Amino acid sequence: MAGRPPTMIGAISLLILIGVSGIGAGGGLLSVTGFGDAAADVRGAALMMGAGIAGYGIACAFAAAGIWSRTRWGWLLGVVTVGIGLVLLIVATIIAGPDSILGLGLVVWGLTLACLLAPGTRRAGVSAPETP
């Protein structure tokens, strides 16, 4: 962790949290696809949603690894995935109304994006080089 600013460590930690929870939630939905007693349309929806959520989680975990390695692609992947997740959470909140779980998600995703965009993280060499 030497030479990594707190905002970078925060971004990596939150991306790992989001990634692991996404992989777990997606895997839970994918497990529904194996039950023969579930209706075909339910299994199909579980397959699509589970694969999407698990894939999102994997992308977040890869972003965390890329940021740890101080790569530009890791930072870009993190910003894009967290940005997409934040937009989806905002849409879900507008549709469903205020909800404590969605509110917590907004806080976590918002904090993750703030850590990614923080000057300390950007100066640590994970974003595009600044031109003089």
Side-chain angles (χ1 to χ4, degrees):
M1 288 199 229
R4 289 178 174 82
T7 55
M8 185 180 191
I9 299 299
I12 292 166
S13 301
L14 290 167
L15 280 166
I16 290 170
L17 174 69
I18 293 167
V20 168
S21 65
I23 293 168
L29 284 171
L30 288 172
S31 70
V32 171
T33 63
F35 293 114
D37 58 346
D41 58 341
V42 171
R43 287 194 312 267
L47 177 64
M48 296 297 287
M49 290 174 55
I53 293 169
Y56 181 85
I58 291 168
C60 288
F62 272 114
I67 293 167
W68 179 262
S69 301
R70 297 177 188 255
T71 63
R72 184 167 189 259
W73 66 260
W75 181 82
L76 285 171
L77 182 60
V79 169
V80 169
T81 56
V82 170
I84 289 169
L86 196 53
V87 167
L88 292 174
L89 282 166
I90 290 168
V91 169
T93 302
I94 291 169
I95 292 170
D99 178 81
S100 60
I101 299 297
L102 291 174
L104 178 61
L106 289 169
V107 170
V108 170
W109 268 255
L111 183 59
T112 306
L113 188 59
C115 286
L116 286 168
L117 298 177
T121 303
R122 294 175 64 88
R123 274 195 304 272
V126 298
S127 65
E130 294 184 17
T131 55

